[in-house]
Amino acid sequence: MGTTKKKFRTESPANPPLTPAQQTTLNLIRLPANERTTYNSTLRAQIQLELEKETVNLVDQIDEPLWVSKRQLQAVTSCEVLYEKQEGESFEWKIPMTRGQIFHKCVELSVHLSPARTAPELVDEAMTSIMNRGDGLASFLVDLTDIERAEIRSEVASLLQTYFDTFPPLQNSWSPTTELPRKVLLHRGKIVLQGRFDLTVGRPDELTAGRVLIELKTGRAVPHHLDDLRFYALLETLVVGVPPALLASFYVDAGTVQVEVVDEDLLRSAIQRTSSAVKRLLQLRLEEREPERRASGSCRWCPAATDCRPGQAWLEEANGSGVW
Ligand code: SF4
């Protein structure tokens, strides 16, 4: 194969030269201005009404607000028995979970720290910042051995270098944000929908969509990542009044991005999934129904699997021992 000395560049000569992978990512996460949708100014109120309609008969029966994030939506949509089991268990940090948290902190620092740092420098600064904040993750990291912390540093620095090599450098003119929180109150705060976007670029222009929501994934791709982002599109619309232009999952290990264009059909399906899941969460809280078992890949690690008939049947089938 031949080699070439040609440099890949964005249109403006002021922009930094990009690797082919960075250029591919940039092409996918930037929607041309003439393809961006302009929405009706009443969209936010319509969506709020739709979401509240489904739960209007249940909400007055709860004393404490129901907090709903993408995790609860995914759990209750998957298997309600597993959801209840997880809600009753206390959370415990494990080493593999820490790398995503530290990676996200590195990206946050890389956007806001000047002058620019190398990947290993950012990992050190991120770990120091997390270990000084006094929460559960801080205590977990402090209690690890030097070798365990060094292994985490090494893994996250490698991931971060892949991210720098494959994601275009963020420019101030793109209005980037990291860890952007969004909170929506339904029924005067009886139900709180919440989320935190890993990374956003762009912004709306009056009623025309322009913001891109990007989730940075340090694990493998799973189907519910799409649903998570569609829920975030709802949150963005309910807070800002204009939906995002694009939703993107960036898989850091592979340096690849999966993108979905936001339109009214996507918002409608997100409203349906969210309102039906919130209704089920309320019914479970009020003990108005028995939790439903729904077998899926989660049965492989579910703590209730031993005594669960549908779970065992699913596992037998999946392991190839089902009778024809
Ligand atoms: S084993 Fe499967 S079906 Fe049974 S409770 Fe767990 S996740 Fe649900």
Side-chain angles (χ1 to χ4, degrees):
M1 268 200 278
T3 56
T4 173
K5 287 185 177 171
K6 185 181 173 194
K7 284 189 175 172
F8 289 78
R9 286 182 180 274
T10 52
E11 299 88 330
S12 160
N15 290 339
L18 301 179
T19 67
Q22 287 173 323
Q23 186 67 62
T24 302
T25 304
L26 180 58
N27 293 345
L28 288 169
I29 63 169
R30 191 165 51 182
L31 192 65
N34 62 358
E35 293 177 25
R36 297 179 188 184
T37 307
T38 299
Y39 290 89
N40 196 308
S41 62
T42 57
L43 182 64
R44 176 161 70 152
Q46 284 168 11
I47 293 179
Q48 175 115 12
L49 205 65
E50 284 284 308
L51 287 172
E52 290 186 337
K53 199 171 64 184
E54 190 73 17
T55 46
V56 72
N57 294 328
L58 293 168
V59 79
D60 284 338
Q61 299 173 53
I62 57 168
D63 298 325
E64 294 295 318
L66 177 74
W67 290 75
V68 182
S69 69
K70 64 180 182 183
R71 197 185 66 77
Q72 277 93 11
L73 288 182
Q74 162 55 20
V76 80
T77 306
S78 165
C79 172
E80 294 174 4
V81 170
L82 176 57
Y83 159 75
E84 291 212 320
K85 193 122 190 108
Q86 287 176 325
E87 287 296 294
E89 282 172 356
S90 56
F91 178 77
E92 263 181 48
W93 283 102
K94 303 232 166 37
I95 286 181
M97 298 174 190
T98 63
R99 74 175 198 161
Q101 296 288 319
I102 299 166
F103 174 81
H104 285 103
K105 178 54 101 180
C106 290
V107 173
E108 181 188 340
L109 295 180
S110 76
V111 173
H112 302 290
L113 266 181
S114 179
R117 314 294 209 260
T118 64
E121 286 168 348
L122 279 167
V123 176
D124 277 343
E125 301 208 32
M127 283 187 78
T128 305
S129 161
I130 292 172
M131 284 161 71
N132 283 337
R133 68 188 188 195
D135 59 9
L137 176 55
S139 313
F140 180 80
L141 289 173
V142 168
D143 290 344
L144 294 178
T145 64
D146 287 347
I147 291 179
E148 286 169 327
R149 275 195 299 272
E151 285 170 348
I152 294 173
R153 267 197 185 87
S154 157
E155 270 188 54
V156 180
S158 303
L159 266 182
L160 195 58
Q161 191 56 55
T162 308
Y163 167 77
F164 285 149
D165 292 342
T166 54
F167 199 92
L170 295 166
Q171 298 177 32
N172 287 339
S173 60
W174 300 355
S175 311
T177 70
T178 52
E179 305 297 323
L180 181 66
R182 291 288 189 232
K183 192 189 285 182
V184 174
L185 307 185
L186 300 180
H187 297 294
R188 301 168 311 284
K190 285 277 193 168
I191 298 172
V192 184
L193 308 180
Q194 60 175 344
R196 190 176 283 273
F197 309 158
D198 288 348
L199 176 65
T200 75
V201 291
R203 58 181 182 192
D205 179 6
E206 289 193 41
L207 292 169
T208 301
R211 181 162 287 137
V212 181
L213 310 187
I214 303 162
E215 287 293 282
L216 300 171
K217 300 296 182 189
T218 53
R220 66 193 171 86
V222 289
H224 72 76
H225 288 165
L226 273 180
D227 290 320
D228 293 347
L229 271 166
R230 290 170 185 171
F231 171 62
Y232 280 0
L234 269 193
L235 293 184
E236 174 73 358
T237 312
L238 285 162
V239 171
V240 178
V242 183
L246 294 176
L247 306 174
S249 299
F250 185 76
Y251 293 95
V252 183
D253 279 331
T256 55
V257 66
Q258 286 179 8
V259 176
E260 189 168 41
V261 179
V262 177
D263 59 18
E264 292 206 12
D265 286 345
L266 180 147
L267 293 171
R268 209 164 295 122
S269 94
I271 293 168
Q272 275 164 8
R273 177 178 183 267
T274 304
S275 56
S276 124
V278 169
K279 184 176 179 183
R280 272 181 276 146
L281 287 169
L282 281 172
Q283 289 171 326
L284 290 172
R285 159 95 70 98
L286 293 166
E287 299 182 354
E288 280 200 353
R289 57 183 277 176
E290 282 296 308
E292 211 176 289
R293 292 173 194 269
R294 292 192 209 99
S296 70
S298 306
C299 302
R300 291 188 194 283
W301 50 266
C302 172
T306 322
D307 303 320
C308 175
R309 207 181 292 170
Q312 286 301 322
W314 189 93
L315 286 168
E316 274 180 30
E317 189 73 31
N319 294 335
S321 54
V323 180
W324 178 247

